[in-house]
């Protein structure tokens, strides 16, 4: 295929928030040969727009870009544009491109601006059933061989990233209504003059479907007055001023055209000017091919630039790459073969410099896979590279981690959202003397579908909040997603862990508790002198938010990572969850023994406890135009709250009046300063923040352990050890090599019911003999009246346990029982304590609906359960049963048989001793 760029136009300052606009035509042609059989259908074309977090000039195309939309062209199937989408696994997540495609996988209302960000570049997707998840359109929407289409693209520069400002309630005036299309509009203007954009607002309707936008809630009369946290969006003039208003030619090593005046000059030149980057070449053509992202050290050989791009040292290193997606119908009515193919541009300075060509027959980067028509979500996959030498044998690395000491603070976050804190105790259980160091432990926080409008994040295509929607299909297992868990009282939406998360921070007793003694950025460390934990030097010293676990997993799954190495002062949102294996004498050389100064991470047998804090919220939301003069100076706690989202690789100099004239301080060796606004009265655009309420709505205090494991979410870990391969050259013997491992969760037993609700009936989490004639809750205990079987509604897995604390036996002749693996067929394991004979019996029985029948005795042994002691029973996946009193094993391991192997069920209790008191019923998976 080919794609030709033409008919360029730049409109200075006419963008949605006053930035530049660039328009141009892209004529896309499927040049594949015609065929009598299945022919490749061109479903998407994307040109690289940036390399995430890179300050290189080529990233001016997509960096700080408000929107990319289609504004004309010829009729055809390529009618959608995604801004800065990823490459479907062809390259790392740092590759971003403007993707022209044939998908209708989300509503037109959300088909622009921020919601396109980081979606995968994919065509022929639809969401015909409106569930927010894409389906493959088997009609294969795209260009057939020989077909061509011209799409006019409009890029609007500007960014919603900016300073966080707090105002008193009542500052913004105006009311919002529901328009004929069902979506919000500004119904009654006040000092708010226009609702410019709402595509990034997560909730517009409640679970019932009633109109209830979070920025103007129904309970408040749809007014804007309650909004206190505002982000100031920043204007971007990149299309007319590539260099930057107070950057110099020397900042970027430019010497041509406008920069011929010397490295200290700061001329203004734009995309459509000629010769400022490459002699005789229009600047846009040079940028489109990746100017500044690489250094050509020899014809066809590229290296990463070390100067003057500082932070760009770990990115780029090759020209920008266009890609195309093709589908071939496999003819079975159920699947297609998809190809993602990389191409190249014609040489700069020639007639083909604006022509991208993609040819699968000789492509250097190529990916092919079969997709189902039913669900196009890519499966969990390990690295598919397949090239290079065979990997070494598995290390035998093992680790575990436990989450404890959970606390929740509603409204305690930076922009008014909830915060949570918890400890993670991480153990490297790898064999002693193995040399295996654990360099990161990670828990999954997000999963991105092919079109991440609502993939497991609790909102639908209408932005209906379905986290508490009890009409969802019932969950059959914890691994299910997008279903209703009636026991937990929430939907299975584990993306709430990472979606709308401002920070994941380590909690330290002081800001300089790290081994360098230097104060760490408050975005990364929260200081708590009482609960903070000092990091262990050279072990696990930093945390990263929402990083991918590549290459073992594709980039559409993200993790919170506790890792070795110090905090990166320039954190990259796309950087992988990976620790540092060692401090190296030569950071650019391999980690060979003679280059390792200090190994990092947890050694075998070591454990470390870290405390994490998660601050929930989003600086993005609905965008409003306000009357100049609306904002005025206010005393603390109002005013500038945080400016971290201003400092970036673009060094865009529009942030907040308090910072005007201060050095931005992002790029090394530059003196760029923030310039405007110089007064709050000048601010004309504001974005209402979305304080994160997931911990409140999803009841993290009770459910956090379950949420971690919902929908198949998994933990992972990274290890390093010396390579003992005898075939290595002598100078590489002992080089540190990496192993990445996916894990699983074992839900520890937790208190399900403390019976502390005062004089009351049992909670709705129980079923069975729940009437007051059977049991009642009083005095912090369950009091037995007539008794009977009680079952906890939530089923547990094939390895489970249950326990209670017996504080009074009641009538001594009558027993108290734990029930395990109670199935729909009525079969159950019963562990009974008989006070008079001081013994424990273990049986399997069948519940007939009114009584237990068909008993089979597994074992009977002497044991005494004194007042205040805990009776605990564990039924494992292999069918065995174990019994404990206060954690001490009693009796022998018993075998319930094949009927109870590899099956789960409910847990419960039964007492028939009136007057008995039972406290703290607990249960869960093992």
């Amino acid at each position: 295929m080919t794609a030709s760029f033409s008919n360029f136009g730049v409109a200075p300052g006419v963008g949605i928030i006053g930035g530049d606009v660039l328009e141009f035509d892209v004529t896309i042609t499927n040049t594949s040969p015609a065929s009598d059989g299945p022919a490749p259908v061109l479903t998407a074309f994307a040109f690289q727009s940036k390399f995430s977090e890179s300050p290189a000039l080529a990233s001016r195309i997509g960096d700080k870009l408000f929107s990319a939309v289609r504004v004309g062209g010829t009729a055809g199937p390529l009618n959608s544009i995604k801004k800065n989408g990823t490459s479907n696994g062809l390259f790392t997540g740092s590759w971003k491109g403007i993707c022209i495609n044939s998908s209708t996988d989300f509503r037109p209302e959300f088909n622009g601006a921020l919601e396109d960000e980081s979606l995968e570049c994919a065509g022929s997707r639809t969401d015909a059933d409106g569930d927010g998840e894409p389906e493959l359109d088997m009609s294969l929407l795209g260009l057939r061989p020989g077909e061509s289409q011209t799409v006019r693209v409009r890029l609007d520069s500007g960014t919603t990233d900016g300073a966080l400002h707090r105002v008193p309630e009542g500052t913004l005036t105006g009311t919002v209504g529901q328009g004929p299309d069902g979506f919000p509009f500004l119904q009654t203007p006040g000092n708010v003059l226009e609702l410019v954009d709402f595509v990034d607002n997560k909730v517009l309707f409640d679970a019932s479907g009633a109109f209830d936008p979070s920025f103007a809630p129904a309970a408040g009369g749809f007014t804007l007055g309650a909004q206190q946290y505002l982000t100031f969006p920043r204007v971007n003039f990149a299309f007319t001023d590539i260099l930057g208003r107070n950057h110099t030619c020397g900042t970027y090593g430019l010497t041509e055209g406008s920069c011929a005046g010397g490295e200290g000059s700061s001329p203004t030149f734009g995309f459509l000017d000629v010769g400022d980057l490459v002699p005789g070449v229009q600047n846009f053509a040079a940028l489109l091919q990746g100017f500044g992202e690489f250094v050509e050290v020899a014809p066809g050989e590229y290296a990463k630039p070390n100067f003057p791009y500082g932070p760009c040292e770990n990115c780029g290193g090759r020209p920008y790459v266009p890609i195309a997606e093709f589908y071939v119908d496999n003819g079975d009515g159920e699947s297609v073969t998809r190809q993602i193919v990389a191409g190249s541009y014609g040489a700069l300075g020639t007639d083909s410099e604006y022509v991208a060509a993609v040819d699968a027959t000789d492509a250097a980067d190529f990916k092919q896979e079969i997709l189902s028509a039913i669900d196009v979500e890519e499966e969990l996959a390990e690295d598919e590279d397949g090239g290079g030498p065979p990997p070494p044998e598995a290390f035998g690395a093992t680790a575990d981690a436990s989450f404890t000491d959970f606390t929740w603070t509603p409204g305690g976050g930076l922009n008014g959202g909830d915060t949570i804190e918890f400890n993670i105790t991480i153990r490297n259980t790898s064999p002693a003397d193995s040399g295996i160091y654990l360099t990161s432990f990670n828990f999954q926080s997000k999963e991105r579908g092919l079109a991440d409008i609502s993939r497991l994040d609790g909102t639908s295509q209408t932005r209906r909040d379905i986290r508490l929607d009890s009409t969802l299909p019932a969950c059959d297992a914890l691994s299910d997603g997008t279903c209703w868990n009636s026991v937990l009282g929430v939907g299975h939406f584990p993306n709430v862990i990472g979606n709308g998360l401002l920070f994941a921070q380590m909690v330290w007793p002081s800001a300089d508790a790290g081994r360098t003694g230097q104060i760490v950025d408050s975005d990364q460390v929260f200081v708590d002198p009482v609960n903070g934990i000092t990091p262990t030097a050279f072990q696990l010293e930093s945390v990263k938010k929402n990083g991918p676990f590549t290459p073992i997993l594709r980039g559409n799954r993200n993790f919170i990572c506790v890792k070795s190495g110090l905090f990166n002062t320039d954190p990259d949102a796309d950087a992988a969850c990976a620790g540092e294996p060692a401090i190296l004498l030569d950071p650019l050389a391999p980690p060979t023994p003679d280059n390792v100064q200090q190994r990092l991470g947890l050694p075998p047998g070591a454990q470390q406890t870290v405390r994490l804090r998660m601050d929930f919220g989003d600086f993005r939301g609905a965008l409003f135009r306000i009357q100049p003069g609306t904002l005025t100076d206010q005393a603390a706690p109002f005013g500038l709250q945080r400016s971290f989202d201003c400092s970036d690789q673009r060094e865009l100099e529009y942030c907040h009046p308090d910072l005007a004239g201060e050095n931005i301080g992002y790029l090394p060796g530059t003196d760029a300063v923030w310039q405007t606004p110089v007064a709050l009265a000048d601010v004309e655009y504001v974005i209402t923040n979305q304080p994160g309420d997931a911990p409140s709505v999803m009841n993290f205090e009770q459910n956090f352990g379950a949420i971690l494991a919902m929908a198949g979410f998994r933990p992972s870990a990274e290890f390093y050890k010396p390579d003992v391969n005898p075939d290595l050259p002598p100078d590489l013997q002992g080089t540190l090599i990496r192993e990445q491992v996916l894990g699983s969760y074992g839900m520890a037993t937790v208190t399900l019911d403390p019976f502390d609700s005062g004089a009351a009936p049992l909670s709705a989490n129980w079923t069975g003999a729940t009437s007051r004639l059977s049991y009642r809750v009083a005095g912090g205990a369950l009091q037995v009246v007539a008794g009977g079987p009680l079952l906890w509604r939530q089923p547990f897995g094939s390895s489970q346990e249950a326990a209670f604390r017996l504080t009074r036996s009641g009538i001594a002749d009558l027993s108290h029982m734990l029930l395990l693996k109670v199935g729909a067929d009525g079969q159950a394991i019963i562990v009974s304590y008989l006070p008079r004979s001081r013994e424990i019996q273990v049986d399997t029985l069948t519940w007939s609906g009114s009584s237990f029948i068909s008993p089979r005795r597994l074992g009977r042994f002497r044991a005494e359960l004194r007042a205040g002691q805990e009776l605990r029973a564990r039924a494992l996946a292999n069918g065995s049963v174990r019994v404990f009193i206060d954690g001490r094993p009693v009796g022998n391991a018993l075998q319930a048989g094949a009927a109870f192997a590899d099956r789960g069920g409910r847990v419960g209790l039964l007492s028939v001793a009136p007057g008995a008191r039972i406290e703290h019923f607990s249960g869960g998976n093992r």
Side-chain angles (χ1 to χ4, degrees):
M1 64 80 61
T2 61
S4 300
F5 296 71
S6 62
N7 299 325
F8 308 103
V10 167
V14 302
I16 195 168
I17 58 173
D20 291 346
V21 166
L22 171 66
E23 289 190 9
F24 50 90
D25 291 339
V26 183
T27 300
I28 303 169
T29 305
N30 186 346
T31 58
S32 303
S35 171
D36 294 334
V41 178
L42 174 63
T43 52
F45 164 74
F47 58 93
Q48 189 169 351
S49 55
K50 69 174 185 176
F51 209 101
S52 283
E53 307 305 318
S54 167
L57 292 177
S59 287
R60 297 290 198 261
I61 300 172
D63 188 46
K64 307 306 171 223
L65 185 66
F66 191 84
S67 65
V69 296
R70 180 181 176 182
V71 290
T74 60
L78 304 180
N79 288 308
S80 176
I81 296 181
K82 293 176 181 175
K83 179 193 77 170
N84 295 334
T86 58
S87 63
N88 276 321
L90 186 63
F91 303 114
T92 70
S94 292
W95 183 101
K96 296 294 175 63
I98 307 298
C99 179
I100 304 168
N101 63 86
S102 61
S103 286
T104 57
D105 50 359
F106 50 96
R107 302 179 62 129
E109 292 86 355
F110 305 137
N111 190 24
L114 301 169
E115 198 54 51
D116 298 31
E117 186 75 46
S118 75
L119 300 181
E120 295 197 350
C121 182
S124 202
R125 306 293 199 279
T126 185
D127 183 22
D129 56 9
D131 66 351
E133 298 186 36
E135 303 92 40
L136 180 61
D137 193 327
M138 285 301 291
S139 60
L140 292 187
L141 299 176
L143 297 175
R144 269 60 183 177
E147 293 181 344
S148 182
Q149 181 182 351
T150 297
V151 176
R152 188 153 186 84
V153 177
R154 178 185 174 97
L155 305 183
D156 187 338
S157 62
T159 178
T160 56
D161 295 340
L164 173 63
H165 188 87
R166 186 179 179 186
V167 298
E169 288 193 19
T171 297
L172 300 185
T173 59
T175 61
V176 171
Q178 186 176 15
D181 59 359
F183 291 102
F185 75 104
L186 186 65
Q187 186 170 50
T188 307
N191 55 30
V192 175
L193 304 178
E194 181 185 2
L195 171 53
V196 179
D197 203 306
F198 57 81
V199 297
D200 203 44
N201 208 82
K202 290 182 170 58
V203 175
L204 300 176
F205 304 87
D206 66 16
S208 69
F211 183 65
D212 192 12
S214 59
F215 55 86
F222 302 107
T223 67
L224 299 167
Q227 297 301 314
Q228 290 194 66
Y229 295 93
L230 309 176
T231 299
F232 296 165
R234 291 183 292 148
V235 210
N236 187 357
F237 298 113
F239 300 148
T240 55
D241 183 13
I242 295 172
L243 190 61
R245 294 179 188 271
N246 52 9
H247 287 170
T248 66
C249 295
T251 305
Y252 297 98
L254 302 180
T255 59
E256 303 292 337
S258 300
C259 282
E263 65 177 20
S265 62
S266 183
T268 299
F269 52 89
F271 274 41
L272 302 190
D273 294 320
V274 175
D276 301 298
L277 307 179
V278 177
V281 172
Q282 191 170 47
N283 295 335
F284 185 32
L287 297 176
L288 195 63
Q289 300 202 27
F291 179 86
E293 201 68 76
F294 61 92
V295 174
E296 189 168 15
V297 295
E301 295 183 22
Y302 307 100
K304 299 175 183 179
N306 295 318
F307 177 85
Y309 303 115
C312 188
E313 185 174 335
N314 294 319
C315 64
R318 62 179 295 172
Y320 273 7
V321 181
I323 66 171
E325 177 190 63
F326 298 90
Y327 281 154
V328 174
D329 191 331
N330 293 330
D332 55 10
E334 298 180 353
S335 67
V336 298
T337 297
R338 177 174 69 173
Q339 295 178 343
I340 307 291
V341 188
S344 60
Y345 295 97
L348 290 174
T350 69
D351 291 341
S352 60
E353 65 183 7
Y354 275 119
V355 178
V358 178
D359 186 344
T361 61
D362 61 359
D365 296 285
F366 177 92
K367 177 182 175 185
Q368 181 168 303
E369 57 195 331
I370 294 177
L371 296 181
S372 165
I374 299 172
D375 184 359
V376 300
E377 182 195 354
E378 297 181 76
E379 297 296 322
L380 273 167
E382 297 191 359
D383 185 9
E384 298 178 335
D385 183 24
E393 294 183 2
F395 290 180
T398 59
D400 60 41
S402 57
F403 294 71
T404 59
D405 299 288
F406 180 94
T407 61
W408 160 57
T409 305
L414 178 65
N415 68 353
D418 295 350
T419 64
I420 62 172
E421 290 186 18
F422 49 90
N423 291 350
I424 308 180
T425 299
I426 303 165
R427 295 192 307 157
N428 183 354
T429 56
S430 302
D433 302 321
S434 64
I436 299 172
Y437 277 54
L438 182 148
T439 50
S440 78
F441 167 77
N442 323 301
F443 59 95
Q444 193 172 344
S445 55
K446 292 203 285 189
E447 175 182 331
R448 289 188 296 174
L450 292 178
D452 189 23
I453 280 294
S454 61
R455 180 63 180 160
L456 298 180
D457 68 358
T459 61
S460 70
Q461 279 250 10
T462 60
R463 304 297 168 84
R464 181 171 68 93
D465 188 344
I466 53 179
R467 295 174 294 181
L468 299 182
D469 183 4
S470 60
T471 66
L472 291 166
C475 302
D476 293 324
L478 192 61
S479 59
D480 293 342
T482 320
C483 58
W484 178 251
N485 188 318
S486 60
V487 176
L488 298 180
V490 297
H492 275 198
F493 297 109
N495 260 24
V496 296
I497 301 171
N499 264 357
L501 179 65
L502 294 179
F503 306 115
Q505 303 160 296
M506 275 194 167
V507 183
W508 289 0
S510 67
D512 58 355
R515 62 175 151 96
T516 66
Q518 296 177 346
I519 293 178
V520 176
D521 189 335
S522 59
D523 302 349
Q524 301 169 327
V525 168
F526 183 79
V527 175
D528 183 341
V530 176
N531 299 307
I533 298 176
T534 299
T536 305
F538 307 115
Q539 293 191 358
L540 303 177
E541 301 178 90
S542 59
V543 64
K544 173 175 173 49
K545 179 189 82 169
N546 293 339
F549 194 53
T550 52
I552 190 173
L553 296 180
R554 296 188 178 109
N556 61 353
R557 287 165 174 83
N558 296 92
F559 294 78
I560 308 294
C561 325
V562 180
K563 60 188 185 66
S564 60
L566 302 177
F567 282 103
N568 190 340
T569 56
D570 177 32
D572 180 352
D574 299 294
C577 275
E580 296 179 23
I583 299 173
L584 302 178
L585 297 172
D586 179 358
L588 300 180
T592 55
D594 59 359
N595 191 32
V596 172
Q597 178 181 343
Q598 168 74 55
R599 288 200 66 181
L600 300 177
L602 279 182
Q607 77 172 38
Q608 181 182 348
T609 298
V610 300
R611 188 160 184 82
L612 296 190
R613 182 179 191 266
M614 298 173 68
D615 188 338
F616 289 83
D618 198 331
F619 299 129
R620 298 181 174 123
L623 172 64
F624 294 93
R625 182 170 63 89
I626 63 174
Q627 181 73 39
T630 296
L631 303 184
T632 59
D633 291 322
Q634 301 282 340
F638 305 107
L640 178 64
Q641 303 292 298
R642 198 67 70 91
S643 61
F644 55 88
D645 225 19
C646 293
S647 182
D648 53 47
Q649 65 279 6
R650 175 69 177 90
E651 290 208 319
L652 204 60
E653 57 270 28
Y654 300 87
C655 184
H656 195 279
D658 290 13
L659 302 173
E662 290 188 13
N663 189 285
I664 296 173
Y666 187 93
L667 291 180
T670 70
D671 56 2
V673 298
W674 283 301
Q675 295 182 343
T676 60
V678 296
L680 285 173
D682 297 335
V683 174
E684 295 187 60
Y685 291 91
V686 296
I687 296 169
T688 53
N689 278 217
Q690 300 176 78
D693 60 358
S696 296
V697 173
M698 300 286 283
N699 192 4
F700 275 29
E701 194 167 36
Q702 172 184 313
N703 298 337
F704 186 56
I707 291 170
L708 284 172
M710 282 178 180
F713 272 30
R714 303 172 71 177
S716 64
E718 174 193 66
F719 303 87
Y720 277 87
K721 69 167 289 188
D723 193 347
V724 295
N725 182 356
D727 296 329
L728 286 173
D731 60 332
L732 294 179
Q733 289 284 341
T735 298
L736 296 179
I737 54 175
R738 181 173 71 167
E739 180 172 76
Q740 294 176 301
V741 182
L742 295 173
S744 60
Y745 289 106
M747 303 299 292
T749 304
V750 296
T751 298
L752 298 176
D753 197 334
F755 304 122
D756 60 356
S757 56
L762 285 159
S763 77
N765 290 324
W766 292 98
T767 185
T770 58
S771 78
R772 287 176 176 266
L773 298 178
S774 300
Y775 297 94
R776 65 184 58 175
V777 177
L782 180 69
Q783 297 188 355
V784 181
V785 184
L790 286 173
L791 295 178
W792 189 254
R793 289 184 183 273
Q794 178 185 2
F796 295 107
S798 57
S799 288
Q800 60 177 239
E801 68 179 28
F804 61 65
R805 193 171 299 280
L806 185 67
T807 56
R808 187 170 65 202
S809 290
I811 298 176
D813 286 336
L814 302 177
S815 60
H816 316 279
M817 309 174 196
L818 284 169
L819 314 179
L820 297 106
K821 294 196 175 183
V822 183
D825 56 5
Q827 292 190 80
I829 297 171
I830 313 294
V831 177
S832 308
Y833 176 65
L834 289 69
R836 179 173 294 278
S837 59
R838 298 178 181 176
E839 59 185 6
I840 290 175
Q841 294 178 177
V842 182
D843 301 272
T844 61
L845 301 149
T846 300
W847 174 246
S848 67
S850 59
S851 62
F852 286 107
I853 60 175
S854 305
R856 181 170 71 90
R857 179 64 44 81
L858 303 183
R860 182 172 183 157
F861 41 85
R862 296 279 297 179
E864 182 178 4
L865 183 67
R866 297 188 179 93
Q869 288 187 314
E870 180 195 71
L871 176 66
R872 180 177 297 269
R874 186 176 299 162
L876 301 179
N878 62 6
S880 65
V881 182
R882 294 178 171 85
V883 183
F884 307 82
I885 292 179
D886 271 359
R888 177 177 53 85
V890 294
N892 297 316
L894 306 171
Q895 183 56 243
F900 292 93
D902 296 320
R903 65 171 271 174
R906 294 177 175 178
V907 298
L909 63 86
L910 189 160
S911 179
V912 291
R917 286 172 55 91
I918 294 172
E919 297 181 358
H920 294 287
F921 178 78
S922 59
N925 295 312
R926 292 300 302 176

